[in-house]
Amino acid sequence: MDNAAEKKLALTHFWVAFGSFGLAAVMGLYQVIERSGFFGFLESREVYYASVSTHGVLMGFVLTTFFIMGFGYYVANTTLKLPVWNKTFAWTGFGVALTGVVLAALPLLLGQASVLFTFYPPLMAHPLFYIGATLLVVGSWFWCVSMIVMYMQWKKINPEQPVPLAMFATTANAILWLWTSAGVAAEVLFQLIPWALGWIDTIDAGLARTLFAWTLHPIVYFWLIPTYTAFYTLVPKQAGGFLFSDEMARAAFILLVVFSLPIGFHHLYMDPEQGHGWKILHAVGTFVVTLPTFITGFTVIASLEIAGRLNGGKGLFGWIAALPWNNPMVLAIILGLLMLIFGGFGGLVNASYAMNAMVHNTAWISGHFHLIFGGTTIIMYFGIAYYFWPILTGKPLFCPSMAVAQLWSWFIGMIIMTTPWHILGLLGQPRRIDSVNYNNLLTISWEPYEVTMIFGGLILVVSAGMLVYNLYKTHLGSESYQGEVEYAEPIHAVSNLPGYLNNFTLWNIVIGVFMLIAFGYPILQFFLMETFGSGRWGV
């Protein structure tokens, strides 16, 4: 299959993603050092918040969006055996998204958009930041359209046939993103941009936070679905085995899409504008979304056990040692699952209405977010990159042993940095602060944890450098490599797949009903009762 154009498209997206990641990693280390208070010459409130905002945008929006788009294009091409639909359209989407990143970067780096990555009003940024963020989202919608069109093209050619699992998951992610990005799009277009341009004087911060909550939690699953796609469709093959169940994988993806959308209010537990009943409704939904995670954990571990036993593993746990631990993809999932166990426990605490009150505005939340996002999600992006890079560049991986060392160092650094972060949260350290301007026995007791976090941050930056260096040297390599992505086969071939596990018509209707119930009145109330706008506020 001649897919050089698709390889170029995917690789270009990946380089934007990992270039942003490298820059953001350095900023992350600066923030850990600055807020520790041990290095007075580095302390600057303005630089700190500009750095935090840029770090969050690069990691949460740029790395993820470009990685997901590049991954999706190549998955669609290689699973469906179809060329990417309308490549001009795809490159236009890339250009729109990249233009948005550049526009948003200007005020971010100049300290005129220090509104953190959630950009909650009444914090107000320069209009270019909001316009840039909007273009980034619009560019990603081009990708969503491409994925859905290719999915429909294949269905038309192959009626009644099961859509390849990796493409089924990618299409699910495109649908999820279209649904979830609607909230933040409405907030930015109808509130933040007119406000930042001076067209309106005040803003209803409660409405803005509610619209952002529409997006804020499902976006986590937008980031996570490529990781789960690799869990189900790439890892079993790399481990030397088979997928335990294709049907359970499809059920997990559908549950993720359906139940991850109407649950964003657990980010608003401490906010007064929504009633307790709505918060409890969203809390129940948040616990339901753990179901696809449990299904994924069971199915993936079962698939790994199949591989381990085919590799000669014996006894109750002998299959674990028989797995190819030196394969970056396999190592990434093992380390990612370990971090998911600890991060998942923290997520249950956050989802609980009562316990959330204890940790909500503390450093616990930052520790949890970094463990889940930087741990489980991003480490699998690394594993995918190490597998895809030789295929996309036509060059063998520069140093496989460095890749293995990089994954271990990322895991160790992340554990060392996030464990004290959680403890600091339980000790009462607030989040979203650049420094502590008071000293007592409590804040002095935080110091050993701050030192430990700096050590973890140093390891993470070195690890990030190893990743980018290895990918860069691979790209410049002189040797040639011939290979293509190999997807895992289910241990039992798929037959008689019911329609609801092979298309999304029913599920879009279900999502529409759930979203109407979960967000209908909570948004409508702002237009039915007297509310008061808020003027800008900033550091």
Side-chain angles (χ1 to χ4, degrees):
M1 181 170 60
D2 181 10
N3 59 353
E6 281 76 10
K7 289 180 177 179
K8 182 180 179 182
L9 182 65
L11 192 60
T12 306
H13 281 78
F14 281 163
W15 265 125
V16 174
F18 287 111
S20 303
F21 163 76
L23 178 61
V26 175
M27 291 182 172
L29 176 61
Y30 162 75
Q31 292 148 37
V32 173
I33 294 173
E34 198 273 354
R35 70 194 296 275
S36 71
F38 299 143
F39 305 91
F41 65 97
L42 286 176
E43 292 185 23
S44 166
R45 176 168 296 175
E46 291 75 16
V47 175
Y48 176 82
Y49 283 113
S51 173
V52 170
S53 301
T54 308
H55 170 83
V57 169
L58 288 176
M59 286 291 195
F61 299 135
V62 182
L63 161 65
T64 50
T65 303
F66 280 90
F67 179 89
I68 291 166
M69 290 195 295
F71 181 69
Y73 282 128
Y74 206 64
V75 164
N77 170 241
T78 52
T79 57
L80 304 182
K81 309 299 182 189
L82 292 174
V84 167
W85 173 75
N86 198 335
K87 294 184 183 63
T88 302
F89 184 81
W91 279 109
T92 301
F94 171 82
V96 171
L98 188 61
T99 301
V101 172
V102 173
L103 290 180
L106 294 174
L108 276 169
L109 296 174
L110 293 174
Q112 297 177 13
S114 299
V115 292
L116 311 183
F117 92 105
T118 50
F119 43 95
Y120 283 141
L123 288 172
M124 186 169 75
H126 190 280
L128 272 184
F129 172 75
Y130 298 124
I131 294 170
T134 301
L135 290 177
L136 174 59
V137 173
V138 171
S140 70
W141 288 346
F142 281 67
W143 171 80
C144 293
V145 171
S146 292
M147 294 301 98
I148 293 171
V149 168
M150 292 185 70
Y151 162 85
M152 295 174 66
Q153 283 180 330
W154 192 91
K155 291 273 287 183
K156 186 176 181 180
I157 300 170
N158 304 274
E160 308 302 325
Q161 295 297 310
V163 177
L165 179 59
M167 188 58 197
F168 183 81
T170 300
T171 308
N173 206 20
I175 293 170
L176 169 68
W177 183 235
L178 287 175
W179 273 102
T180 191
S181 58
V184 71
E187 179 199 3
V188 173
L189 288 175
F190 299 116
Q191 289 191 284
L192 297 182
I193 289 179
W195 183 50
L197 288 172
W199 297 346
I200 54 177
D201 295 327
T202 60
I203 193 168
D204 190 329
L207 174 60
R209 290 172 68 86
T210 301
L211 289 172
F212 198 80
W214 173 310
T215 300
L216 185 55
H217 203 73
I219 197 174
V220 173
Y221 297 96
F222 173 62
W223 301 336
L224 192 60
I225 283 181
T227 291
Y228 277 19
T229 304
F231 281 7
Y232 284 114
T233 67
L234 299 176
V235 171
K237 183 70 176 181
Q238 292 296 301
F242 298 89
L243 173 62
F244 175 72
S245 171
D246 182 285
E247 292 88 345
M248 288 180 69
R250 290 171 194 268
F253 286 119
I254 289 171
L255 290 170
L256 277 176
V257 174
V258 172
F259 289 107
S260 69
L261 279 158
I263 62 172
F265 278 16
H266 66 262
H267 293 273
L268 301 178
Y269 283 164
M270 299 300 108
D271 288 42
E273 65 270 6
Q274 300 297 345
H276 295 299
W278 296 109
K279 293 174 181 175
I280 291 172
L281 175 67
H282 282 241
V284 173
T286 305
F287 281 109
V288 172
V289 86
T290 60
L291 181 59
T293 301
F294 286 130
I295 292 175
T296 299
F298 174 81
T299 307
V300 170
I301 292 173
S303 301
L304 289 174
E305 182 177 356
I306 292 170
R309 297 200 182 282
L310 288 174
N311 293 338
K314 305 290 184 185
L316 188 59
F317 298 113
W319 60 271
I320 298 175
L323 291 171
W325 285 69
N326 60 348
N327 182 306
M329 179 78 77
V330 177
L331 179 61
I333 191 175
I334 293 171
L335 300 179
L337 286 174
L338 287 173
M339 289 187 278
L340 181 62
I341 292 172
F342 297 111
F345 170 76
L348 292 175
V349 172
N350 303 340
S352 304
Y353 198 178
M355 285 193 287
N356 183 282
M358 181 176 64
V359 299
H360 186 82
N361 279 319
T362 74
W364 167 285
I365 298 297
S366 308
H368 164 76
F369 178 74
H370 280 76
L371 186 56
I372 286 289
F373 176 72
T376 303
T377 302
I378 298 303
I379 201 169
M380 207 61 213
Y381 286 14
F382 300 160
I384 294 170
Y386 287 130
Y387 181 51
F388 272 43
W389 231 255
I391 296 168
L392 298 178
T393 61
K395 316 281 180 62
L397 188 63
F398 170 66
C399 185
S401 60
M402 183 188 293
V404 171
Q406 187 269 323
L407 292 169
W408 274 112
S409 62
W410 188 262
F411 171 74
I412 293 169
M414 191 59 69
I415 295 298
I416 290 176
M417 188 178 75
T418 58
T419 301
W421 222 340
H422 282 84
I423 296 172
L424 284 169
L426 295 177
L427 291 175
Q429 186 184 75
R431 59 179 169 137
R432 296 170 175 154
I433 60 168
D434 65 298
S435 60
V436 177
N437 296 318
Y438 48 91
N439 287 310
N440 57 31
L441 290 178
L442 175 61
T443 58
I444 291 173
S445 72
W446 295 347
E447 292 182 354
Y449 301 106
E450 298 282 4
V451 173
T452 308
M453 287 180 63
I454 292 173
F455 183 56
L458 284 168
I459 295 174
L460 289 172
V461 166
V462 171
S463 180
M466 291 166 64
L467 170 86
V468 176
Y469 178 75
N470 208 353
L471 299 181
Y472 176 71
K473 293 293 288 185
T474 301
H475 202 142
L476 297 182
S478 56
E479 299 179 42
S480 63
Y481 174 87
Q482 298 294 325
E484 193 47 271
V485 177
E486 295 182 302
Y487 295 95
E489 296 292 333
I491 194 165
H492 299 294
V494 179
S495 61
N496 299 322
L497 192 65
Y500 59 83
L501 290 180
N502 200 35
N503 68 66
F504 298 97
T505 304
L506 169 64
W507 303 116
N508 274 302
I509 297 171
V510 173
I511 291 169
V513 173
F514 277 0
M515 292 300 283
L516 184 63
I517 295 172
F519 281 94
Y521 182 77
I523 290 175
L524 185 64
Q525 66 170 337
F526 292 100
F527 302 95
L528 298 178
M529 63 183 181
E530 185 179 14
T531 59
F532 302 94
S534 173
R536 69 163 299 182
W537 183 85
V539 294

